Amino acid sequence: MKPSVYKYDQLEVHGVSSAGTGTCLTVPRLKMAIDTAQGWPFVYPMNHLFLTHAHIDHAGGVAYIVSQRGLMGLRDLKIYMLPELQKPIRKILNTWQELEGFDYSYEIVPVESGDRVKIDEYHYVQPFQTVHRVPSQGYALFQQKKKLKAEFHGKNSHQLADLRRQGVALEDVWYEPQFGYTGDTDIRFMDHCDPEILKTQSLFVDCTYWDDKKSIEHAMEWGHIHLDQLIERAGEFLGERLVLTHASRRYKKSDLEEILSRSIPLQFRSHFIHFP
Ligand SMILES: [Zn+2]
């Protein structure tokens, strides 16, 4: 399985996404993945694995990934998930470990909305609330931003270096959401999540149903989003890109592109991207 590649600004995401078949997204530069699909090789090198929920098309590959990493001698895997998923996921991993007859190397870390997981000096991941048929949450990657404080504008590089040596904090530092993925959810995640999430530069969202082959009511019943719901609330997304994932297999790629060009109002057209 060769992953699709999404690039925007400094972000590069590799992944696959198809409703009911398999979804996983990785940020290779940071060795992080969200969901596992069936456990494809491009996920093995990721050390931070976040699970949105335990439907098999999203989390079914977890044992495969842990096992393959073991055979490859890869260590330091952390698997992040809602607290209520710890016990059943550990049970699955223990069962496979016993059947395979070698020790798996991984750590399960329970996380929920409001927590922050440090990825490196410049990035953290924050879980956020979503609404699905089973316990679920999305994840957003925040990136550090820095700017020289206004009071130091006009100083030359020697003066700044002197101040830095004296231990003066020269820059304002803050974090902005660069990449996020909702996992499976219905549209109400927009009302439940931290409002910062709606500012994510590239927000990957569940968009399972795209036209009148399936109604909004059907989407709500199955805990998914219909494209019409995203269009109706497009003005509430304050990021730059809304990346539509998890399309139902009933649509061909060409259908999806055609629906996008036909249905998205002109002012939002460059914001909506389909990710296969
Ligand atoms: Zn699901």
Side-chain angles (χ1 to χ4, degrees):
M1 168 60 74
K2 203 171 164 337
S4 300
V5 176
Y6 169 87
K7 288 184 188 180
Y8 185 69
D9 198 15
Q10 295 165 36
L11 176 70
E12 184 167 323
V13 175
H14 296 191
V16 292
S17 183
S18 168
T21 314
T23 294
C24 77
L25 301 172
T26 63
V27 182
R29 191 168 67 87
L30 298 175
K31 290 195 180 300
M32 67 169 276
I34 307 182
D35 289 343
T36 66
Q38 289 91 330
W40 301 115
F42 70 90
V43 190
Y44 303 161
M46 306 300 127
N47 291 336
H48 299 275
L49 174 54
F50 295 86
L51 299 181
T52 61
H53 67 298
H55 278 152
I56 204 157
D57 54 325
H58 288 258
V62 67
Y64 207 89
I65 288 168
V66 175
S67 170
Q68 291 290 311
R69 283 178 60 95
L71 297 175
M72 295 163 79
L74 298 171
R75 306 263 150 216
D76 303 321
L77 173 65
K78 288 196 165 115
I79 314 173
Y80 307 89
M81 63 191 74
L82 278 164
E84 55 265 56
L85 298 184
Q86 287 180 91
K87 212 171 140 188
I89 296 285
R90 200 182 295 283
K91 199 164 146 192
I92 288 167
L93 289 170
N94 283 342
T95 304
W96 273 111
Q97 179 174 254
E98 198 184 315
L99 288 167
E100 294 212 276
F102 70 92
D103 285 345
Y104 286 174
S105 169
Y106 67 92
E107 183 188 342
I108 287 181
V109 184
V111 290
E112 50 196 338
S113 179
D115 290 341
R116 285 179 181 187
V117 176
K118 191 173 171 183
I119 300 293
D120 66 14
E121 202 184 332
Y122 308 105
H123 299 87
Y124 67 81
V125 168
Q126 186 181 310
F128 60 89
Q129 277 191 32
T130 56
V131 186
H132 194 41
R133 291 167 66 90
V134 295
S136 66
Q137 64 188 358
Y139 297 94
L141 174 71
F142 284 69
Q143 183 184 31
Q144 190 185 75
K145 300 278 178 180
K146 279 184 181 178
K147 201 171 74 180
L148 189 67
K149 289 182 180 177
E151 64 210 81
F152 301 120
H153 287 177
K155 298 224 182 277
N156 65 36
S157 57
H158 297 295
Q159 292 168 319
L160 291 174
D162 276 345
L163 287 164
R164 194 168 275 126
R165 268 195 296 277
Q166 291 162 33
V168 177
L170 301 179
E171 288 151 328
D172 288 318
V173 177
W174 72 101
Y175 287 82
E176 286 179 2
Q178 180 190 29
F179 159 64
Y181 174 44
T182 62
D184 289 356
T185 183
D186 72 35
I187 194 72
R188 290 173 292 176
F189 88 92
M190 294 181 68
D191 307 311
H192 291 277
C193 72
D194 177 343
E196 280 293 298
I197 302 303
L198 302 181
K199 298 179 188 166
T200 302
Q201 189 184 34
S202 291
L203 182 60
F204 284 57
V205 291
D206 171 348
C207 185
T208 304
Y209 306 112
W210 287 56
D211 65 6
D212 52 15
K213 283 196 194 101
K214 290 288 173 192
S215 64
I216 287 176
E217 291 69 32
H218 181 86
M220 291 300 287
E221 187 188 339
W222 288 96
H224 291 298
I225 295 176
H226 192 292
L227 179 61
D228 289 352
Q229 295 176 294
L230 292 174
I231 293 172
E232 193 189 325
R233 300 186 65 173
E236 294 173 54
F237 291 101
L238 304 176
E240 292 166 32
R241 290 279 186 91
L242 205 55
V243 186
L244 313 180
T245 62
H246 205 264
S248 162
R249 279 174 293 161
R250 60 175 58 79
Y251 303 103
K252 289 193 298 230
K253 189 173 182 327
S254 55
D255 295 339
L256 297 173
E257 299 300 339
E258 191 272 319
I259 294 169
L260 270 192
S261 62
R262 162 162 57 84
S263 351
I264 308 296
L266 203 55
Q267 74 266 37
F268 298 121
R269 203 154 289 171
S270 61
H271 296 225
F272 282 70
I273 308 287
H274 166 235
F275 184 82

